[in-house]
Amino acid sequence: MSGVIVYAMGIVCCSVCAPAEMDGEAVAAEVTRAHPPGTEEGWSVSQDETFRTGQPNPCACEDDPARRHWLMEC
């Protein structure tokens, strides 16, 4: 899955860690392919500007500077 890792999955939201060079559209496409949400639109970058922790969406991965975290919604 191109190095895209879903690390938290909910019914309509998920949190994803992806290579920093990927844009939101590419990340969403990979998550939709690997984890189809059952909606016609699939996954997309959340309109929320921050995660519930207050970090921006997207934000740098705290474990790997070559990756970013994204909040997705369907």
Side-chain angles (χ1 to χ4, degrees):
M1 188 167 62
S2 301
V4 174
I5 301 164
V6 175
Y7 64 87
M9 179 69 76
I11 296 172
V12 296
C13 293
C14 68
S15 297
V16 180
C17 184
E21 66 270 7
M22 292 181 76
D23 65 16
E25 188 174 309
V27 173
E30 287 296 322
V31 176
T32 297
R33 185 185 62 73
H35 302 278
T39 62
E40 288 184 25
E41 297 82 19
W43 292 102
S44 62
V45 176
S46 174
Q47 296 299 309
D48 291 343
E49 293 181 7
T50 61
F51 286 81
R52 66 183 167 119
T53 57
Q55 295 172 299
N57 181 34
C59 65
C61 174
E62 61 275 355
D63 296 322
D64 185 344
R67 301 180 66 82
R68 289 192 294 177
H69 290 183
W70 295 84
L71 180 59
M72 300 280 157
E73 63 189 13
C74 64

